[in-house]
Amino acid sequence: MGICTVAASVLWVVLLVLLTVFASSVPLTAIDWGRLWGIIRELLLLCAGLGVVGFFFTRRSLLVYADWKRGPWHTAYAGGNGYSYNLLPEKLPAINPPTYFAIHSRFAPGTQIIVEGSSLRWRRRLCKDRVFSVRDIAGVVLGPGNGCNVLYDKNYQVLAKFAGSMEHADLMFLWLLQRDIPIDKAPAGWHSPAEGSSDPEPAEFSVFQQKFVLRMKRSTRIGFAGMGCFLLLLGLALFLALFLLTDVSALTMVERWALIFLELAEMGMGIVSLRIGKVSRVEVNGEQMHVVSRFGRATEFSVRDVSSVSRSLGWLVLYDREFKTLAKVDSYLEDLDRLKAYLASYGIKM
């Protein structure tokens, strides 16, 4: 397929030139043939290079087309987001997966695969959700560290794909293993927990009287305050340097507006940094949670609306029953163990 692709990119130039020669009513001299051959050589090199580049970018599609039964394997080995993108767990969880859970990307927003009983929903950006049943899954291909894991159907078409670095990927592997779905080259250490083992029941104690407030750690508040003061002083120094020591009248209108925008951005970032340490918090009053983000956005909801928690870079993301984002909790809050115990009392794990 690769040879045919490159050859097609090259031969069409020759055919186009020969067609032009035969269609022309003017006879060509030896000098004309020499010039024509020089043009053909240059075009051949250019088109051969374009053919190689085109084959490089379309080789996966060509491989899938040429050997469609190996399509899921080609997709799994096509490459991911780095050599540690698809690190597989050595062992699977010792407890059975819950009825509802989702596989989240740790660094990108949104949900990848949602498991609801025996059905799955694959969410993708700019694409329609794909919904399928466990009965539609014919097998699973485990990719390398820089690849991905692929679920495919009986026609060897890709149903969904995910990475081992995603949150709750180990639950997904266990869920597939318990439903006797073939996993190609599954590690020897993957075993299903003993029959009858399940998630421990949440502790029975009174949580309705719980009332506490979590704020940012003192060191973090000092850090943001120091950053804010530095940015404000830098903005003040910039103002003095530009508007007192510089002839502003010599600047054009565009340059003036650019300096004003830079000054406002500098002062604005300083004010925001000073405010972050004061506004970011989590308030718990019985079953009601009030979360205020770093930028002052407040969200209030019931803890019973929370279905799962995902750890992201600098955030704890709370999801609702539809696995949509309820709120983002700052990971620099003090006494997060208290929040962890509070959520665990409702069967929610962090």
Side-chain angles (χ1 to χ4, degrees), residues 3 41-42 67 69-71 99 109 129 155 166-167 176 179 207 224-225 257 270 281 286 298-299 312 331 333 347:
I3 293 173
R41 277 191 308 179
E42 295 178 358
D67 188 9
K69 286 189 176 182
R70 300 293 296 178
T99 306
D129 292 358
N155 295 321
M166 293 180 177
E167 188 136 11
L176 294 168
R179 281 148 183 83
V207 296
F224 277 113
W257 278 109
R281 66 184 183 276
T299 308
S312 184
S331 60
L333 295 179

Side-chain angles (χ1 to χ4, degrees), residues 310-325:
S310 173
R311 289 183 177 271
S312 184
L313 190 62
W315 303 99
L316 299 176
V317 186
L318 307 182
Y319 295 94
D320 62 8
R321 299 297 174 183
E322 296 295 325
F323 294 100
K324 296 180 181 179
T325 303

